[in-house]
Amino acid sequence: MTQRQEQFEKMLQAIQAEYETTVSKMEKLKAEDKTKTTTYKQLIGDKLRLQNMLSMYRIYGLID
């Protein structure tokens, strides 16, 4: 595996981990009925950004 491939894999893992963390935080806030908070709204934006990045990887066949 080349250095570039290793860097890609590392980046992909970081994005996937951040996505999971974001979703987890959102679920916690939702359970606490805090969906109208600024924090929750920021997390929605983060989730959408991360979903977009993961979608681009799928479009280009880099992940399943």
Side-chain angles (χ1 to χ4, degrees):
M1 187 178 291
T2 67
Q3 182 180 4
R4 184 178 177 136
Q5 289 170 324
E6 289 174 13
Q7 290 171 327
F8 167 78
E9 290 296 329
K10 189 175 181 180
M11 180 181 162
L12 176 59
Q13 289 173 359
I15 292 169
Q16 289 171 325
E18 186 179 352
Y19 179 81
E20 292 301 321
T21 300
T22 300
V23 169
S24 177
K25 288 178 183 178
M26 288 178 70
E27 289 172 355
K28 182 180 178 206
L29 288 172
K30 189 173 183 180
E32 296 171 358
D33 197 30
K34 295 183 178 180
T35 57
K36 296 184 190 253
T37 63
T38 301
T39 300
Y40 190 82
K41 291 175 184 178
Q42 288 173 337
L43 289 170
I44 290 173
D46 291 343
K47 181 182 174 188
L48 291 173
R49 175 181 52 85
L50 294 165
Q51 279 179 330
N52 185 44
M53 292 176 77
L54 292 170
S55 292
M56 292 298 289
Y57 288 135
R58 282 187 198 93
I59 288 169
Y60 285 94
L62 298 170
I63 59 174
D64 297 327

